[in-house]
C-alpha cells in the first residue's frame, strides 16, 4: 500500500478545503479499478475521510465517462426591446422564445483536490 502526503494544512475555519493524504487500498489482482482512501480538511477545518474508485483504463485523453443530465426547457417572453421577461406566462400575447437552463453545483472534491462544477445528485 502506498501513501502520499501533501503539505501540512493549517487548521481553522473559513479557509479552503485541502487534500492531506491518499492511501491506495486496491486489492491485489485488481486490473481495471483502483481504490483509494483520501483524508482531507474541509473549509471549516474539520478532518474528513473520502473513499474513491478510479478506472485504470483511461486513454491518453484522460476521458472515460458518460454524463446524463436533465434540461430545464421553458418558454420565455420577449420584451418589446428584444430582452427577456423571465416571469412571463406563455398564455399571454407577445413574442416568446424557447429557453434552456442547466443547474450546476460548485463543490470541493478530494479525489482531484479542488473545487469542481458538477451536476447535482442525490
Amino acid at each position: 500500500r502506498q501513501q502520499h502526503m501533501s503539505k501540512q494544512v493549517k487548521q481553522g475555519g473559513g479557509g479552503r478545503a485541502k487534500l492531506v493524504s491518499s492511501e491506495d487500498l486496491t486489492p491485489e489482482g485488481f486490473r481495471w479499478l483502483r481504490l483509494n482512501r483520501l483524508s482531507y480538511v474541509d473549509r471549516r477545518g474539520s478532518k474528513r475521510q473520502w473513499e474513491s474508485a478510479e478506472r485504470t483504463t483511461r486513454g491518453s485523453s484522460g476521458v472515460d465517462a458518460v454524463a446524463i443530465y436533465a434540461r430545464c426547457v421553458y418558454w420565455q417572453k420577449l420584451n418589446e426591446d428584444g430582452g427577456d421577461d423571465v416571469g412571463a406566462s406563455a398564455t399571454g400575447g407577445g413574442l416568446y422564445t424557447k429557453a434552456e437552463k442547466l443547474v450546476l453545483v460548485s463543490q470541493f472534491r478530494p479525489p482531484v483536490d479542488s473545487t469542481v462544477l458538477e451536476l447535482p445528485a442525490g
Side-chain angles (χ1 to χ4, degrees):
R1 294 182 183 186
Q2 299 175 343
Q3 191 167 17
H4 171 264
M5 296 298 288
S6 67
K7 298 180 217 173
Q8 283 285 36
V9 177
K10 187 166 84 172
Q11 297 293 317
R16 292 185 56 166
K18 181 70 179 160
L19 184 66
V20 176
S21 67
S22 175
E23 181 181 5
D24 186 354
L25 300 176
T26 307
E28 188 174 331
F30 268 42
R31 183 174 171 186
W32 310 108
L33 190 65
R34 179 179 16 258
L35 305 176
N36 296 304
R37 177 177 295 133
L38 307 173
S39 297
Y40 70 102
V41 176
D42 69 17
R43 63 187 176 154
R44 293 182 182 93
S46 298
K47 293 179 182 178
R48 306 273 185 192
Q49 296 245 317
W50 187 281
E51 295 166 349
S52 71
E54 300 173 16
R55 291 181 58 123
T56 59
T57 57
R58 290 187 186 145
S60 60
S61 70
V63 177
D64 188 15
V66 173
I68 299 172
Y69 66 94
R71 297 170 26 209
C72 301
V73 180
Y74 57 96
W75 288 101
Q76 189 168 11
K77 184 175 182 178
L78 296 176
N79 292 328
E80 290 178 18
D81 64 0
D84 57 12
D85 187 4
V86 176
S89 165
T91 58
L95 297 175
Y96 291 84
T97 185
K98 203 177 225 183
E100 182 174 338
K101 291 189 179 185
L102 176 67
V103 177
L104 297 173
V105 293
S106 175
Q107 197 161 278
F108 177 76
R109 290 297 186 189
V112 292
D113 191 20
S114 186
T115 300
V116 298
L117 285 176
E118 57 189 30
L119 298 168

